[in-house]
Amino acid sequence: MCLAIPGKVESIEFMYDNSVRMAKVSFGGIIKQASLEMLPQAEVGDYVLVHVGVAISRVDEEEAQKVFEYLREAGELDELNH
Amino acid sequence: MKYVTEYRDADIVHSYLACIKSIVTKPWTIMEVCGGQTHSLVKHGLLDILPPEITIVHGPGCPVCVTPQSLINQAVSLSIDHKVILCSFGDMLRVPGSKMSLLEAKARGADVRILYSPLEAVEIAKKFPDKQVVFFAVGFETTAPANALSVLHAYRAGLKNYSILTAHVLVPPAIRAIMDDPHTRVNGFLAAGHVCTIMGNSEYYPIAEEYKIPLVVTGFEPVDLMQGLYLTIQQLEEGKFEVINQYSRVVKEEGNPEARAVINKVFEVSHRNWRGIGVIPRSGYALREEFALYDAEKKFGFLSQDQENVNGCIAGSILKGLKKPKDCPHFNKTCTPLNPLGAPMVSTEGACAAYYHFSGIIE
Ligand code: SF4
């Protein structure tokens, strides 16, 4: 139910009598529309998290790497590479 | 797919597993609150690879599973007796009501439609001005902004034929209810990442403090779940009880203020009856008085609260993490996804359905 998927904003337009900023978001090539009302700062090229037709968060690239950096710091990833 | 594939990397999963194994010395029971996490843990076989000290129990975070039967009955009655166009997320259709499910209502000719987004329901209402359109608004904090937006869209368009049947529930009161149960065995929580994209982390600090339990805000992919578990176990082993944000690529400390503003405009906090658990005070959302026109229960009248039809289903104990699906005598015998006795067997995020579908992987 709380499933939300990250996708790339391909284009932005105004819909519903020009009242709502809507994005075309690509999920690995599958395009769906999402409302940007909760994410006014989103721009074309951003990755956004979409839940039931509404973009709810922008994916932060720097933070996205932390999951892997954490292991590198713990020395776990090096071990694997050997 | 960027931000998905790399978080399913088996090597990284096993690195986190090695980290977990290197620190665990005692038995711990950890609950993941969200049904999406239940599904992912079971589907990717993660429960199988964890060391024997770690027991994972599955929480009440499947909105379909906790929606009380009285509301299912109400939805069925709206579609059959009031002949509305009843719109819903797909998972709700097979949940058994006292007499029938929405799917059975549809088979009897009711206009029941499965939608991807509540915003589509508003478009249907525009298209059929002579019909009443009701959206069955279930969900946690993650879904509340979209459901609230649908009301605002209908309001701005001046629609008089759109309303929502609200079954909104909130995560923090559920965590408290679980910890207040004297039989609880939960030592720490994976908090639901997508709920926190909206609400932020602030609601969890007092819970960690009060109950002395670690809470790790966690994502949904295998790598996220393994790191979330690691960060929880590390705290348990060190006697810490902090709130840590594992899912910082989308969860900001303050959440999403725009989304919360929309929620607060349309909804107010209310008591909610959770299926299998009972009434939890201030654990959900109801429409504010200003939006009463969009409240299906006010518009069409409230059905009397039918007695819950329990059938021997132990959903309540499962949703509180006291029992596992396989402890239920009906599991995979009289209760299967095609013929569910209880809601946790219906939704793909329900613990019973997850165990049923992926049991080949678990065993
Ligand atoms: S297996 Fe069926 S009857 Fe048993 S708890 Fe799960 S949903 Fe209820």
Side-chain angles (χ1 to χ4, degrees), chain B residues 312-315 318 325 328 330-332 335 341-345 352:
Chain B
C313 169
I314 59 161
I318 290 178
C328 175
H330 296 292
F331 179 79
N332 200 7
C335 183
L341 278 184
M345 190 54 101
C352 300

Side-chain angles (χ1 to χ4, degrees), chain A residues 60-77:
Chain A
D60 185 314
E61 170 62 32
E62 206 175 300
E63 295 290 332
Q65 293 309 318
K66 287 200 174 157
V67 175
F68 310 108
E69 277 162 23
Y70 190 93
L71 279 178
R72 231 165 268 135
E73 278 160 27
E76 277 290 332
L77 271 188

Side-chain angles (χ1 to χ4, degrees), chain B residues 157-174:
Chain B
L159 296 183
K160 303 246 177 325
N161 63 331
Y162 180 72
S163 56
I164 62 174
L165 180 62
T166 318
H168 260 293
V169 279
L170 302 173
V171 167

Side-chain angles (χ1 to χ4, degrees), chain B residues 31-171:
Chain B
M31 175 180 274
E32 93 283 358
V33 180
C34 175
Q37 293 172 332
T38 309
H39 183 83
S40 194
L41 280 167
V42 179
K43 177 180 166 188
H44 294 286
L46 300 181
L47 299 183
D48 237 9
I49 57 174
L50 288 170
E53 290 91 340
I54 305 301
T55 303
I56 306 289
V57 288
H58 315 295
C62 158
V64 175
C65 304
V66 299
T67 299
Q69 201 162 44
S70 55
L71 273 169
I72 310 280
N73 294 341
Q74 182 111 8
V76 167
S77 157
L78 286 175
S79 73
I80 289 196
D81 306 329
H82 296 273
K83 306 212 172 342
V84 310
I85 301 179
L86 197 284
C87 304
S88 166
F89 297 124
D91 277 2
M92 293 306 294
L93 263 63
R94 280 187 301 115
V95 181
S98 313
K99 291 199 196 83
M100 68 180 101
S101 66
L102 280 169
L103 197 63
E104 288 163 292
K106 189 177 164 72
R108 293 184 190 197
D111 194 344
V112 178
R113 302 187 188 189
I114 298 175
L115 301 187
Y116 159 69
S117 166
L119 302 183
E120 295 169 339
V122 181
E123 296 308 302
I124 293 174
K126 284 183 191 163
K127 233 190 192 151
F128 299 97
D130 301 335
K131 294 282 276 180
Q132 287 291 331
V133 176
V134 178
F135 187 76
F136 199 172
V138 302
F140 277 95
E141 291 92 325
T142 319
T143 317
N147 287 337
L149 259 190
S150 80
V151 171
L152 286 182
H153 281 200
Y155 172 77
R156 285 192 209 122
L159 296 183
K160 303 246 177 325
N161 63 331
Y162 180 72
S163 56
I164 62 174
L165 180 62
T166 318
H168 260 293
V169 279
L170 302 173
V171 167

Side-chain angles (χ1 to χ4, degrees), chain B residues 89-305:
Chain B
F89 297 124
D91 277 2
M92 293 306 294
L93 263 63
R94 280 187 301 115
V95 181
S98 313
K99 291 199 196 83
M100 68 180 101
S101 66
L102 280 169
L103 197 63
E104 288 163 292
K106 189 177 164 72
R108 293 184 190 197
D111 194 344
V112 178
R113 302 187 188 189
I114 298 175
L115 301 187
Y116 159 69
S117 166
L119 302 183
E120 295 169 339
V122 181
E123 296 308 302
I124 293 174
K126 284 183 191 163
K127 233 190 192 151
F128 299 97
D130 301 335
K131 294 282 276 180
Q132 287 291 331
V133 176
V134 178
F135 187 76
F136 199 172
V138 302
F140 277 95
E141 291 92 325
T142 319
T143 317
N147 287 337
L149 259 190
S150 80
V151 171
L152 286 182
H153 281 200
Y155 172 77
R156 285 192 209 122
L159 296 183
K160 303 246 177 325
N161 63 331
Y162 180 72
S163 56
I164 62 174
L165 180 62
T166 318
H168 260 293
V169 279
L170 302 173
V171 167
I175 292 185
R176 286 178 184 278
I178 287 160
M179 290 313 293
D180 287 337
D181 188 310
H183 300 294
T184 191
R185 29 180 201 148
V186 179
N187 302 116
F189 283 91
L190 300 187
H194 291 152
V195 164
C196 297
T197 58
I198 307 294
M199 305 307 283
N201 302 333
S202 64
E203 294 176 299
Y204 297 95
Y205 297 115
I207 296 180
E209 231 358 269
E210 218 172 289
Y211 296 99
K212 312 249 177 290
I213 43 163
L215 291 123
V216 177
V217 176
T218 302
F220 294 74
E221 298 299 341
V223 168
D224 293 319
L225 290 160
M226 290 303 280
Q227 190 190 20
L229 286 172
Y230 172 70
L231 294 170
T232 311
I233 295 162
Q234 190 181 38
Q235 292 196 61
L236 289 168
E237 289 285 340
E238 293 174 3
K240 289 184 180 158
F241 41 91
E242 289 166 8
V243 178
I244 297 180
N245 181 6
Q246 181 277 330
Y247 202 32
S248 58
R249 65 184 182 278
V250 291
V251 176
K252 321 259 174 318
E253 177 63 26
E254 71 284 4
N256 182 333
E258 280 87 7
R260 277 206 308 282
V262 171
I263 294 177
N264 291 335
K265 194 175 165 85
V266 173
F267 292 126
E268 61 191 0
V269 173
S270 68
H271 301 332
R272 275 278 158 206
N273 185 10
W274 295 55
R275 190 173 190 151
I277 296 179
V279 174
I280 305 179
R282 298 182 60 75
S283 67
Y285 287 134
L287 280 164
R288 286 187 182 278
E289 199 47 48
E290 301 97 281
F291 293 97
L293 202 62
Y294 303 92
D295 190 334
E297 289 192 67
K298 292 200 174 122
K299 202 167 186 174
F300 299 98
F302 196 69
L303 268 190
S304 62
Q305 295 272 345

